[in-house]
Amino acid sequence: MGETIRQAYIRKNPRSAELYPRFEAVFPTGVSHDMRVADPFPLCMARGQGARKWDVDGNEYIDFGMGSASLLLGHAHPAVVEALIKAAPDGSHFGQPIEAELEWGERVHNLIPCAEKVRFVASGAEATMLAMRLARGYTGKEKIIRWESHYHGWHDYAMPGNLPPFDVPASVGIPKGTLESVLVLPPDLDVMERTLATSQDIAGVITEGSGASYGTVPRQPGFVEGVRSLTQRYGVVMILDEVITGFRWSPGGLQQKLGIAPDLCTLAKILTGGLPGGAVAGRDDVMHILARTGDSQRDRFQRVSHGGTFNANPYCAATGNAALRIAATGEMQNRADRMAERLRRGLQKVIEQHGVPACVYGESSTFHVYFGGGSIEGLDANTLKNVPATIQNGFRQALQVRGVDLMSRCSGVLSGVHTEADIDESLQAFDGAMKAMLEEGLIRQS
Ligand SMILES: Cc1ncc(COP(=O)(O)O)c(C=O)c1O
């Protein structure tokens, strides 16, 4: 056997390797986000342009991470860069409303079906945290139903049920009272109905629009529509987490695609053109719980309070407007969907040519590879998310050394600037990665 995947990774990345001890000296495991941990070291990135990015060693990648799915328009889209450069000299913060914020809010209002009112926040996690508080404040009830394995950010209320085993929160440090206020259920409408019928204390239900982890665990057909009708029937707030699906599944997100309107939805990522930020948008009467009315009793004792120094700051408002102006046409989404379909089909062929027990799936502009069998029919989150780490890491690194990068695990997202040539070049890398994994015995032919 020639060079292993790991040896090639180390050989190609001397500068990333050299920097890593300095990262480790400053940051736990050398990173600022759990998902960036890599063995023996993560790649240190230098710049991006369109569908490609380059690391500090000068290696080029066709990128299927796309800023954790925030870059529907690709890296450094000229309109986004121009908006940022234009806004920069005028100041970064006034602690007061600005016109760019108004324009940005109007864009969200016009694009997202449920967005009668909008509140900007500083991240996707802040959006889901605020949406849960709004549901509680509006209904006067305590508990939020969430689905096993769905991802809603890293805050305390999003940790129960995030990772298997689902009865143990994904992090230590979560107060008991918080755990008791979150009901983790399998994504099953019958279980949901039984729970709603027997519990008087449910404020809301939060659902990741794509199914868990941008569709790694796909939702059953009709699931989101079923959640909509049950939440309506039982008078609880439906929160649709569109941090991934918003502006991606369609200009109006998953809700536009399905023709439903949740009571609240959460947005981030594409919303800001790939800069920090997020929003909660929803029905006027639910969002009104945030409003100051001048009635001092009501405003002090019956209102949801919310702050955030950098909400709707001028730079993110500028890039958000630039991105949403383009996202509104739907062209980027159509192209990304078409390229993703081409990639999924090509990748399935590569898998079949190698006779590997794996399969490719994914909706909209996403793709997922499951190493464990030829179909994901009937497989649950435990199985779909528990592909051995050696396979996940080997796959990602085998692709990286061939000039392709993923978003996480064995999954990726596309942008509206990936081309057919990018896809075809990537398929060659996928082919090489399968060969290398077979050679090393990471996977076997069926
Ligand atoms: C569906 C979903 N909700 C919430 C979040 C949290 O967003 P952020 O990382 O901006 O806090 C994410 C992040 O990936 C997400 O995918």
Side-chain angles (χ1 to χ4, degrees):
M1 196 174 79
E3 190 183 45
T4 64
I5 294 167
R6 188 183 174 90
Q7 283 164 345
Y9 184 89
I10 293 169
R11 173 180 54 79
K12 290 198 76 176
N13 296 291
R15 180 66 182 149
S16 284
E18 183 187 333
L19 288 171
Y20 187 54
R22 282 175 57 199
F23 276 95
E24 266 190 307
V26 182
F27 309 112
T29 348
V31 295
S32 301
H33 187 308
D34 282 358
M35 296 294 280
R36 295 178 196 163
V37 173
D39 175 40
F41 52 82
L43 301 177
C44 185
M45 287 296 145
R47 67 188 179 91
Q49 185 65 60
R52 305 210 173 211
K53 64 184 180 187
W54 289 263
D55 66 24
V56 289
D57 285 292
N59 298 306
E60 179 174 330
Y61 302 89
I62 298 170
D63 190 15
F64 296 115
M66 286 287 117
S68 302
S70 66
L71 301 172
L72 176 68
L73 315 185
H75 290 281
H77 188 282
V80 176
V81 172
E82 190 192 329
L84 187 56
I85 289 172
K86 211 161 147 228
D90 288 337
S92 62
H93 194 353
F94 306 104
Q96 283 159 317
I98 55 169
E99 279 194 49
E101 167 191 8
L102 173 61
E103 184 188 330
W104 195 19
E106 285 173 347
R107 288 184 192 282
V108 175
H109 172 76
N110 292 335
L111 284 172
I112 301 291
C114 81
E116 291 175 1
K117 283 281 184 346
V118 180
R119 172 63 72 104
F120 286 113
V121 297
S123 70
E126 286 191 24
T128 61
M129 187 163 57
L130 175 61
M132 290 183 195
R133 188 188 290 179
L134 291 173
R136 292 191 181 103
Y138 177 74
T139 58
K141 298 182 176 173
E142 276 263 317
K143 291 196 169 122
I144 300 291
I145 291 178
R146 54 146 301 151
W147 311 112
E148 286 174 358
S149 175
H150 285 212
Y151 184 71
H152 302 295
W154 66 271
H155 61 79
D156 286 0
Y157 297 97
M159 287 291 101
N162 202 18
L163 290 177
F166 298 116
D167 55 346
V168 181
S171 171
V172 294
I174 315 294
K176 225 162 141 200
T178 303
L179 297 178
E180 283 161 7
S181 73
V182 181
L183 264 182
V184 181
L185 300 182
D188 178 316
L189 294 173
D190 292 335
V191 176
M192 174 178 173
E193 173 141 37
R194 278 199 300 279
T195 308
L196 290 176
T198 50
S199 172
Q200 302 309 310
D201 201 21
I202 309 294
V205 180
I206 188 165
T207 304
E208 193 184 341
S210 52
S213 300
Y214 64 106
T216 303
V217 188
R219 61 193 185 317
Q220 292 300 312
F223 182 71
V224 175
E225 298 91 323
V227 170
R228 175 63 290 188
S229 58
L230 285 175
T231 44
Q232 251 156 357
R233 191 176 319 152
Y234 287 91
V236 303
V237 174
M238 175 181 179
I239 305 165
L240 188 59
D241 184 348
E242 295 230 49
V243 167
I244 291 277
T245 54
F247 313 107
R248 179 176 287 281
W249 257 235
S250 80
L254 175 70
Q255 53 190 285
Q256 182 186 35
K257 195 130 197 164
L258 297 181
I260 59 155
D263 302 308
L264 296 175
C265 76
T266 51
L267 302 162
K269 298 191 190 270
I270 296 169
L271 171 76
T272 47
L275 269 76
V280 178
R283 242 174 55 203
D284 194 8
D285 62 323
V286 183
M287 297 292 285
H288 184 71
I289 195 85
L290 276 164
R292 284 182 190 266
T293 61
D295 170 346
S296 57
Q297 275 294 309
R298 183 256 177 214
D299 288 356
R300 171 64 185 85
F301 298 108
Q302 287 154 30
R303 198 179 71 83
V304 162
S305 170
H306 171 244
T309 300
F310 292 108
N311 299 347
N313 69 80
Y315 297 170
C316 296
T319 55
N321 278 317
L324 294 193
R325 192 178 299 126
I326 295 169
T329 69
E331 282 168 29
M332 285 284 184
Q333 294 87 341
N334 289 340
R335 187 182 177 88
D337 287 5
R338 273 203 322 276
M339 291 303 116
E341 177 62 25
R342 184 181 181 93
L343 183 66
R344 287 191 298 260
R345 260 195 270 122
L347 198 39
Q348 184 64 40
K349 232 187 241 165
V350 169
I351 286 169
E352 282 159 19
Q353 276 160 2
H354 287 285
V356 171
C359 60
V360 184
Y361 60 101
E363 214 183 313
S364 182
S365 44
T366 68
F367 65 95
H368 308 274
V369 182
Y370 172 62
F371 287 99
S375 161
I376 59 158
E377 194 67 34
L379 300 183
D380 63 7
N382 254 321
T383 314
L384 289 169
K385 283 188 157 180
N386 271 337
V387 171
T390 48
I391 295 181
Q392 293 189 32
N393 298 339
F395 185 51
R396 178 116 189 239
Q397 286 185 353
L399 286 170
Q400 284 170 331
V401 298
R402 288 167 177 77
V404 167
D405 200 13
L406 300 178
M407 176 157 146
S408 60
R409 296 187 193 86
C410 303
S411 305
V413 295
L414 280 83
S415 73
V417 296
H418 282 88
T419 62
E420 289 186 1
D422 291 329
I423 303 308
D424 297 345
E425 196 181 326
S426 306
L427 288 171
Q428 288 184 10
F430 280 108
D431 182 60
M434 293 290 173
K435 264 190 210 132
M437 289 169 76
L438 279 165
E439 244 176 64
E440 269 179 50
L442 289 178
I443 50 175
R444 287 179 212 298
Q445 286 172 326
S446 38

